[in-house]
């Protein structure tokens, strides 16, 4: 696997920074930052000035993506990370801007997204003798006892940049920590006095030495043990979460699966395994889970939900995970007999090699037989899916099965689909074939409002690829569409958003029915807070943000509308299709 290195400060030549904010920008460039997702305030002024001044001096500076809401900024950096695995910078205004990062901060944690967040903080000084000192009443109000405390639970590392002469260590360190696995967000605060502090003679030198830590391969003895279990297994099963975040892991998992004839159950993260591969079970593996004698967990947070069923008591469970203990999750008690901490992309070839060594001709014949028998189930499953889509094709209101199948017809192999479809996620994933690594992405976590902003970041990272966000109507609104569509336009990062409009929060209605079957809500058909009785017109909203917007109600119009949306995107305009489904 390629080891990413920071860009050397020596190339291109940079003039010495004059003040702290210039040094910060130069250090970011040295770390490979191409974009700053910015929502500015009174305390970020020196950064804004530094970008303009450095550019005027002919120096390289990151592009600014203006974000009208901070959760969009953070999602943008998250999406960019998912494509490049290079942390970008999010700049927000003091405590209030930090709070608006909202649920997307949670998503960086659980989705393991490396991003660097920089927040202003109230100036330290009040008398007017230090440049940058307080000059507005809000700077007393925004001064908090513990601004970092707002994010501490969610970030890997946080620090106040209190001096100009340690920036050269702290800024590269921030990037190094964010990008090292398990990747995540880091957070820094900085006051105007530091941003304006003179840099005369202060060094920026060691920036090129802060590389992300190289991830571990697996312990050979542990791999040998796991291989023995798998070689002897009668009904093995692999359950995968996000090994596909490293694209090279996908091909390694295919090799393992084909060697062993082991089916792959997937929990709807990135592409971990090609969905058209006959060993791919998707999320429907309840029977396989209950019958498995050896289970392999690969970078998965929640392998099953105990009250819906689980493995047999005697099943042996091995785990390969960069974070096997999940120490940031208080209650995590899934049984694991052999937890192995490793980078899955490195451990899978080790595991394959050990299995090849251990398995004699008899076992290999058994592997092949098993592979044939698992694969034999695939054509019938494919036929069922095709029937399901065909029957859904003319249903009114539009059925999600048909939407998913239609989407499958318009995407190309390398289109990147961002999926935030909530209760429709399973159907979308079932019908939408994605085989190329990196061609489906999810936030990896339940903080809604990720897909729109993330699409902007994904498009910036992959400008030649088509980018499609598929989200619930609730998720669309959580994604701050005005801010996200406008950022897309400003940054020339157009994407297509498909709104699965079921007039509300089905995910917030279902639990009422589950917990109170036949209860008062069910009887009265009353579900406070979940139905959008008079939903906004998302197509008009899109148009007001310079995007193409269409409302689609006729199933026959779905394909042409998708084509029109994609054509708008090809012409540089973001597009929103408001697809009207059955209301909840
Ligand atoms: C930021 C945030 N707020 C609230 C929730 C709780 N929540 C989970 S699913 C959901 C409804 C999502 O609605 P929609 O996107 O329309 O999908 P649907 O449930 O209709 O499929 C809500 C409000 C959440 N996960 N994240
Ligand atoms: Mg909905």
């Amino acid at each position: 696997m390629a080891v990413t290195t920071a860009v050397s400060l020596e190339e291109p030549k940079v003039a010495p920074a004059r003040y702290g904010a210039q040094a910060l920008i130069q250090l970011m460039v040295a770390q490979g930052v191409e974009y700053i997702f910015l929502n500015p305030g009174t305390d970020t002024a020196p950064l804004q000035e530094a970008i303009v001044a450095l550019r005027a001096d002919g120096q390289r500076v990151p592009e600014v993506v203006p974000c009208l809401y901070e959760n969009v900024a953070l999602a943008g950096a998250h999406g960019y990370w998912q494509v490049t695995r290079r942390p970008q910078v999010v700049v927000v205004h003091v405590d209030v801007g930090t709070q608006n990062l909202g649920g997307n901060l949670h998503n960086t944690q659980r989705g393991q997204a490396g991003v660097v967040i920089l927040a202003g903080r109230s100036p330290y000084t009040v008398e007017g003798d230090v440049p940058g000192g307080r000059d507005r009443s809000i700077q007393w109000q925004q001064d908090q006892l513990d601004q970092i405390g707002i994010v501490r639970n969610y970030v890997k590392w946080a620090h106040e940049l209190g001096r100009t002469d340690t920036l050269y260590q702290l800024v590269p360190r921030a990037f190094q920590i964010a990008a090292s696995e398990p990747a995540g967000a880091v957070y820094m605060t900085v006051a105007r006095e530091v941003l304006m502090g003179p840099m005369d003679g202060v060094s920026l030198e060691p920036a090129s030495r802060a590389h992300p830590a190289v991830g571990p391969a697996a312990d050979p003895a542990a791999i040998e043990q796991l291989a023995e279990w798998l070689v002897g297994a009668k009904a093995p099963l692999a359950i995968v979460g996000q090994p596909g975040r490293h694209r090279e892991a996908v091909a390694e998992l295919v090799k393992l699966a084909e060697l062993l004839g082991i089916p792959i159950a997937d929990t709807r993260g990135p592409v971990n395994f090609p969905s058209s591969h006959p060993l791919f079970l998707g999320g429907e593996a309840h029977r396989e889970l209950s019958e498995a004698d050896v289970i392999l967990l690969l970078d998965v947070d929640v392998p099953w939900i105990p009250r819906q069923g689980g493995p047999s008591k005697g099943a042996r469970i091995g785990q390969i995970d960069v974070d096997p203990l999940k120490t940031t999750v208080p209650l995590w008690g899934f049984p694991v007999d052999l937890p192995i901490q490793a980078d899955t992309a490195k451990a899978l070839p080790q595991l394959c090699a050990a299995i090849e060594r251990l398995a004699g001709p008899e076992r290999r014949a058994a592997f092949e037989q098993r592979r044939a028998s698992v694969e034999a189930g695939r054509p019938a499953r494919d036929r069922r899916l095709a029937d399901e889509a065909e029957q859904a094709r003319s249903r009114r209101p539009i059925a999600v099965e048909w939407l998913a199948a239609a989407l499958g017809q318009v995407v190309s192999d390398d289109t990147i689909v961002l999926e935030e479809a909530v209760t429709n996620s399973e159907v979308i994933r079932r019908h939408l074939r994605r085989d190329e690594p990196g061609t489906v992405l999810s936030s990896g976590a339940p903080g809604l409002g990720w897909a729109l902003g993330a699409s902007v970041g994904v498009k910036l990272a992959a400008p030649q690829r088509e980018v499609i966000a598929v989200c619930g109507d609730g998720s669309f609104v959580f994604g701050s569409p005005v801010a996200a569509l406008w950022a897309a336009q400003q940054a020339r990062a157009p994407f297509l958003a498909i709104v699965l409009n079921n007039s509300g929060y089905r995910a917030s209605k279902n639990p009422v029915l589950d917990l109170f079957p036949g209860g008062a809500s069910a009887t009265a058909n009353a579900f406070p807070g979940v139905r959008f009785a008079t939903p906004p017109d998302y197509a008009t909203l899109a148009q007001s943000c310079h995007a193409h917007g269409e409302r689609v109600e006729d199933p026959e119009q779905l394909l042409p509308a998708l084509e029109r949306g994609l054509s708008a995107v090809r012409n540089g305009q973001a597009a929103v299709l408001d697809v009207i489904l059955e209301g909840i």
Side-chain angles (χ1 to χ4, degrees), residues 422-424 472-475 500-507 530 532 584:
V422 195
T423 59
N424 288 308
D473 48 346
S475 301
L500 307 178
N501 189 342
N502 56 11
S503 299
Y505 295 158
R506 186 160 66 180
V530 307
F532 306 168
I584 58 165

